[in-house]
Amino acid sequence: MVVVMEATDPGAERDKEAEKALLGELREETTKNPLEMVSALEVVTVPQGGHCYRRLEEYLIRVLNQGRRLKVEARTLFSGRHLAAFFKYASDHFGRTTREPFDFVRASRLPNPVAPDLDTHLSNFLKHIKSPQELMDFAVPIIASSLLLDHYPPGMHEACYRVGRSGVLVYDGSINLLLPSGFVQAILEQLQKYFEDFIRGAGTPSKTIHYNNLKRFKLRWKRGRSDDLCFACLRRTPENNWPCGHAVCENCVRVFGQEDENDRWTFGVRRCFLCDMALREVTVKLKPDTAGVNVLTIDGGGIKGVVPLLFLQTLQDRLGLPIPVQDHFEIAFGTSSGGLIVLALFISGWTVDDCANLFESLAKRAFRPRWISHVPVMSRIPVLSHIVQFLVSYLADGLYPAHHLEGALKEVFGSEMGILDYSHATAIGAK
């Protein structure tokens, strides 16, 4: 509490005298100690008449700067938005109980709690570890820095314990074993070291700590691949495959990628986050947090699949924008011939005109009838031909032979490309 009093000769000595006099008057009015009712009490004297408040201004600026410096050192300098959130959480907390103090750390994690599948992801990561030495020298620091990157939430170490609490960690061909408690303790010690770097002085951002850690083991990453786990964060399922073979999640693209100057939702990735391999012009478009989802679905129909292309061409003409029609959709599905169109538009990045020009010849190769329709007797008895074709299609679970469609797909899209590989869909933010 700051009390402003007028005085004929304001100054430091006068402040002390005024504070002493004020406390004396307060003690006469109450039996309680006034200093127990406030966290601090200071008196600032200003000239009489209220014509000059420079001394008060200097005092307030000095106190504010001192408070800011202390908050920076304690890592508690919050924005107005954060303070409003803490005030809400604190109100809810003290509405439930006044016996327990308010925990700022736990409150800060309420919107981003420990993921329930964290132990599953860590278990998947440990399956790639082949020896006790690799566990301690490679897995422990990577797990520790990934936890720090995820904002060091309370209770995070418990997930590590759940990974190995069923027994000891052993490896083929090794007589060494590691108790779960030792594994958790090793992660905790490494995490404490990273956290000290994080808070020391100006502090090293957790992003930098983890990224440098990933680069430190780039040779080790070249021997590891996973379609179930993003190795860059150990927290999510990967959604993008790089040419080097590694797969990462969209959150890591947002964290480690280079944001486009003109579009905050477009990121460039020049090198793999794991093996550090140079990537040629890889661009990833993410869906804005406040954006809706536009979905495109195209049914099958064999050679008649050209009809949806005509609709898409009409839609693009009606929009009248110099943007390919597929760039307006975030999710696309297709079956049979519709699947071919979706792949051509979103994976290869063809225009609608290109698809229409090539679709007819491609469809004729992909949707050729089965050999039985060419048997001479079938052509002479149409009813029998239809019955046999129906039975064969029913038993083979398809009207057309799968190898025809597979051959057409390989011819156009290649035989090595996977559905998560980098493509035009990645660049426009579609799936």
Side-chain angles (χ1 to χ4, degrees):
M1 177 184 291
V2 179
V3 178
V4 182
M5 301 180 66
E6 293 184 343
T8 55
D9 53 344
E13 292 296 327
R14 189 59 174 163
D15 291 346
K16 294 180 181 179
E17 294 175 2
E19 180 180 338
K20 184 177 180 180
L22 177 62
L23 289 174
E25 293 180 6
L26 291 175
R27 290 191 178 98
E28 292 179 359
E29 298 294 333
T30 178
T31 57
K32 295 183 178 180
N33 184 356
L35 295 180
E36 293 180 354
M37 303 174 66
V38 294
S39 59
L41 176 64
E42 291 196 44
V43 176
V44 180
T45 55
V46 297
Q48 291 181 342
H51 299 296
C52 181
Y53 289 97
R54 180 177 297 277
R55 191 164 185 273
L56 176 60
E57 178 184 2
E58 293 174 350
Y59 168 80
L60 293 176
I61 292 175
R62 184 175 69 254
V63 171
L64 289 173
N65 289 337
Q66 181 182 5
R68 181 183 179 85
R69 184 172 62 255
L70 292 175
K71 289 180 179 179
V72 170
E73 293 174 356
R75 304 277 172 174
T76 57
L77 182 63
F78 304 115
S79 65
R81 178 183 178 184
H82 290 164
L83 283 176
F86 277 131
F87 183 78
K88 177 182 180 301
Y89 293 143
S91 299
D92 294 340
H93 171 79
F94 290 116
R96 293 189 300 269
T97 178
T98 58
R99 296 180 179 275
E100 298 179 4
F102 177 67
D103 192 325
F104 280 84
V105 176
R106 291 187 181 277
S108 67
R109 293 300 299 180
L110 289 176
N112 186 22
V114 178
D117 58 352
L118 176 62
D119 51 345
T120 301
H121 289 313
L122 293 182
S123 296
N124 289 338
F125 174 60
L126 292 179
K127 293 176 182 177
H128 296 267
I129 306 303
K130 304 303 181 183
S131 69
Q133 187 71 26
E134 192 175 39
L135 181 74
M136 300 304 294
D137 296 344
F138 169 62
V140 166
I142 289 295
I143 292 175
S145 60
S146 70
L147 296 183
L148 182 68
L149 179 64
D150 199 43
H151 301 163
Y152 188 58
M156 182 68 86
H157 312 305
E158 181 183 353
C160 300
Y161 183 77
R162 290 201 302 268
V163 170
R165 68 180 177 181
S166 59
V168 297
L169 302 175
V170 296
Y171 296 89
D172 294 337
S174 173
I175 61 174
N176 297 320
L177 54 85
L178 186 68
L179 293 174
S181 58
F183 173 58
V184 175
Q185 184 62 30
I187 293 177
L188 178 58
E189 292 175 357
Q190 190 67 55
L191 183 57
Q192 288 174 336
K193 177 181 178 299
Y194 290 144
F195 191 73
E196 290 173 0
D197 295 338
F198 177 63
I199 65 174
R200 183 183 296 115
T204 303
S206 59
K207 164 188 169 181
T208 302
I209 293 175
H210 186 58
Y211 189 70
N212 291 340
N213 215 15
L214 294 176
K215 291 294 185 66
R216 185 159 65 97
F217 296 103
K218 61 182 180 181
L219 295 179
R220 172 59 182 82
W221 291 122
K222 291 182 179 180
R223 296 187 281 114
R225 302 288 189 275
S226 176
D227 294 328
D228 303 319
L229 174 65
C230 174
F231 281 155
C233 66
L234 307 184
R235 277 280 287 103
R236 298 167 185 85
T237 302
E239 300 174 80
N240 300 282
N241 280 5
W242 300 146
C244 61
H246 288 119
V248 300
C249 65
E250 288 189 347
N251 187 73
C252 285
V253 171
R254 187 189 302 236
V255 172
F256 299 118
Q258 184 176 358
E259 183 179 318
D260 188 271
E261 295 180 356
N262 301 316
D263 185 357
R264 59 175 299 200
W265 302 105
T266 299
F267 296 84
V269 180
R270 300 294 173 258
R271 308 190 75 86
C272 175
F273 309 143
L274 298 168
C275 67
D276 202 35
M277 172 182 170
L279 306 177
R280 186 177 61 183
E281 298 299 326
V282 170
T283 302
V284 181
K285 174 76 173 181
L286 303 182
K287 187 179 79 68
D289 294 337
T290 57
V293 178
N294 297 322
V295 181
L296 173 65
T297 62
I298 303 179
D299 292 335
I303 195 66
K304 297 178 182 178
V306 71
V307 175
L309 287 172
L310 299 178
F311 280 108
L312 289 174
Q313 184 63 59
T314 302
L315 176 61
Q316 181 161 305
D317 294 340
R318 291 288 184 89
L319 290 174
L321 297 174
I323 302 174
V325 67
Q326 62 264 40
D327 288 15
H328 297 282
F329 298 94
E330 285 75 39
I331 298 178
F333 299 93
T335 58
S336 188
S337 61
L340 290 177
I341 296 173
V342 167
L343 291 175
L345 290 172
F346 289 88
I347 300 299
S348 298
W350 293 359
T351 65
V352 176
D353 287 337
D354 292 337
C355 288
N357 293 334
L358 295 174
F359 179 80
E360 185 174 354
S361 61
L362 179 63
K364 286 180 178 179
R365 294 196 298 273
F367 303 111
R368 284 179 291 173
R370 299 181 183 276
W371 62 270
I372 196 169
S373 62
H374 300 292
V375 176
V377 68
M378 296 297 175
S379 60
R380 292 195 296 268
I381 310 176
V383 176
L384 178 62
S385 175
H386 288 304
I387 294 175
V388 172
Q389 286 189 32
F390 173 78
L391 292 175
V392 172
S393 300
Y394 178 79
L395 295 175
D397 195 25
L399 183 61
Y400 304 102
H403 64 273
H404 290 167
L405 179 59
E406 183 178 348
L409 290 174
K410 288 182 178 180
E411 179 182 340
V412 177
F413 305 108
S415 59
E416 302 296 330
M417 191 169 193
I419 195 169
L420 292 180
D421 289 353
Y422 178 76
S423 64
H424 179 72
T426 311
I428 64 175
K431 300 183 185 301

